[in-house]
Every structure is written in structure tokens, then in C-alpha cells.
Amino acid sequence: MKRILAAFAGNTVFANIVLLMIFMAGGLAVTSMLRESFPQFSLDLISIQVAYPGADPEEVEEGISLKIEDALETVEGIKQYTSRSSENMASITIEVQDGYDVSEVLDQVKSKVDAISTFPVDAEQPVITEVLLRDSVMMLALSGELHEKQLKTWANRVRDEVKLLDGVSQVEVFGSRDYEISIEVSEERLQEYGLSFSQVARAVRNSSLNLHGGTIRTSGEEIRIRTVGRKYTGAELAEIIVLAGPGGELIPLGRIAEIRDGFTEDPVSALINGVPSVFVMVFKTTDEDALKISSQVSRYVEQQKLQLPPGVSLIDFYDNTKALRARINLLSRNGIIGMSLVFFLLWLFLDLRLSFWGGLGIPISMAGALFILGSMGET
């Protein structure tokens, strides 16, 4: 250490070059490091969700939960798991043992669950994900005296446009009900046409499909055959033929059923100052910068205020980066005050040159620390 100090003291030009390089490296690290309130980390949890529409908890447990539990018994690296069978949904939460890679256990779980071929016919595909804590950046509020469907349509449009912004990839809509098309058939109608409920359900299921019909290959081209028949609106579903009479009369679904193209019956609503509202939440991933996202979305909000129809407003309901900016400003302000105090106290007892170089050790140390953190991939 004495030789290093002696070398620096004997060659001031080399020492100044090293200090300049440290400052430049720290400055580059500051401009490239991501800024976020808290670092993201894994909870060592894996979630499995399987939707089973129309099933009660007993059917969900017997048809889905127990089969998944049997499949998980052979997976290595699972500390424990908890299954929950509720109406229309099976949820299993897996805790990974210490020392095991979550991604490797996740791959094993996916392989085991995907290999199950005895799920009920009406059950949907399992959704298997690692549980992560997402960092919310901003929440936008879209308010207006509009019909619920119009307000949701505008919120979806805002969500899609925000997602197209540079550096933004995670956007979701909250505070509104999900879309739903309900088909209600009375017993009197079924008896009138001699139908059963299962026949109606089968007709709807078989008439709302997109089917792949194979491929035709020729010497010059390849043609894929595909039938597009999926219905997306209540009006399209009303035209499905449920029954054909002996005289050639066709009975559409709209004649025997009441079709409602609207929202679920869940009591979900949001009000701001008594005005109906829908929220658009903006999140960030581990590779995205919170302050850049906030700046991009804030500019978008200001532009949209001039384009929205009368009576509709889009505001920045809250911005989590305000606290982040305050912390960065506090850190910078404390650093400047601390360096000034050190310089002033040294200047009282030493000459100006020694106090300057002594105080300069603080920003040099900070720049070097930031360079090391940036090289390690820290935020």
C-alpha cells in the first residue's frame, strides 16, 4: 500500500488521469443503471391456475386439484404446496426448497402438469407461472359520464396505446367488470321445441370454433385450409342454428334464448368525485427504468387531454416515481452538503489545496462505488 501511495504522490499526472477515469466511469454507470424504488426478487413460489367454468368446488377438486397433486409428488425441489378448489377455479401454490433453481423446478412442474390427459373436457389450459413481485409505476384514471361499455372501450384503447410507448410493456386495466356474453334459456322454451339444455350447449360449442383443415401442397405453393367460425358478439351467437325442423325451418339460438352481450355480474365499479372511472395501471419489468416510463406516460397523458371527447378526462391518479425522485434528490443533496462541510472544516485547519483534495475523496469514492455496482448489474 505504501508503494502505491508513493507512486501516486510521485506521479501526479498519472494520479489525475486515474481520478478522471473514475469520475467518467461513475458518470457512465449513473446514466446506464436502472432506477427503481425496490429491487425485484423471486419469492421462490410457483402458481398453477386451471379454470373449470360451471363447476362447483367438489368437481374442481376431483377433476383437477387431486390430479395435479398426484403429478407434483414426483417433482424434485418442492418444499410444500397448497391447493385450493373453489367455484370455477383450481389454484395450487408451490413453495420451492432452498438451494433449488426456481426456473428448473418450474420446467419440471410444467412437464408434469402438461402430461395430464384426464382433465375434464370443459377445463381450460393450465396457467403455470413463477410468482414475482411486480413494481407498479403509475396509475392513470379515465373518468367520464359514459356508458360502462364506452368507458371500458376507451380504457382499453389507452392501455394499448401506452403499451406501444418506448420502454413500456406491462399495462393492465382495473376497476371495471370483465366482458361476458350470457345465454339464458328457459325451461318453457326448451319444452316448446323439444330440446335439452345439453343440446343447446353442444350447438353453441360446435358452431363457435376455428378449425384447422390441413394443408394442400403443390409444386408452386402451399395452401393452408382453415375454417373461421368463432363467434365474438351476441348478435353472431344469436344466428347459430340450434334446430332444423322437418319442413326445413331453421331455429336460431336468438329465438329460444335471451342473449346478453355485456359484463359479468361481479359488483366492480370505481368512482372519482362521484364520476364513473376506470384505472389503467402501468408496471415495470426488471429491465425497464421507472423514471423513463413515468416521463413517457406523463407526456402521453398531456397529449391525450387534447384528443379525448368532451366530458372524458384522463389524469395521472398517482405516480410512484415521485417518491423515487425525492429519494434520489435527497441523496444528491446530502452528498453535496456533506462534501461542503468536509471541505469547510478542513479549510479551517489546513490550507485550501489540502482541503480541496481531501474533500474530493468523497465524490471519487461515490463514483467508484457506482461503477462497481453498475458492472455487477445492480440498480
Side-chain angles (χ1 to χ4, degrees), residues 39-116:
Q40 294 194 8
F41 55 89
S42 174
L43 298 175
D44 293 340
L45 296 176
I46 297 174
S47 171
I48 305 176
Q49 291 189 332
V50 183
Y52 189 4
D56 57 32
E58 290 78 11
E59 292 176 321
V60 172
E61 181 181 19
E62 181 180 355
I64 297 177
S65 299
L66 293 178
K67 296 177 181 179
I68 294 179
E69 291 177 8
D70 292 339
L72 295 179
E73 293 295 334
T74 58
V75 177
E76 185 179 359
I78 294 180
K79 181 178 181 180
Q80 65 179 12
Y81 58 82
T82 304
S83 65
R84 178 181 179 183
S85 302
S86 57
E87 187 175 352
N88 304 326
M89 180 67 67
S91 302
I92 295 91
T93 302
I94 302 171
E95 183 178 352
V96 180
Q97 286 184 1
D98 295 337
Y100 282 86
D101 189 356
V102 179
S103 60
E104 294 181 359
V105 178
L106 179 64
D107 293 338
Q108 295 184 51
V109 171
K110 286 183 177 180
S111 300
K112 294 295 183 180
V113 175
D114 291 340
I116 301 175

Side-chain angles (χ1 to χ4, degrees), residues 32-44:
S32 60
M33 290 173 66
L34 298 179
R35 294 162 292 182
E36 56 187 359
S37 299
F38 297 99
Q40 294 194 8
F41 55 89
S42 174
L43 298 175
D44 293 340

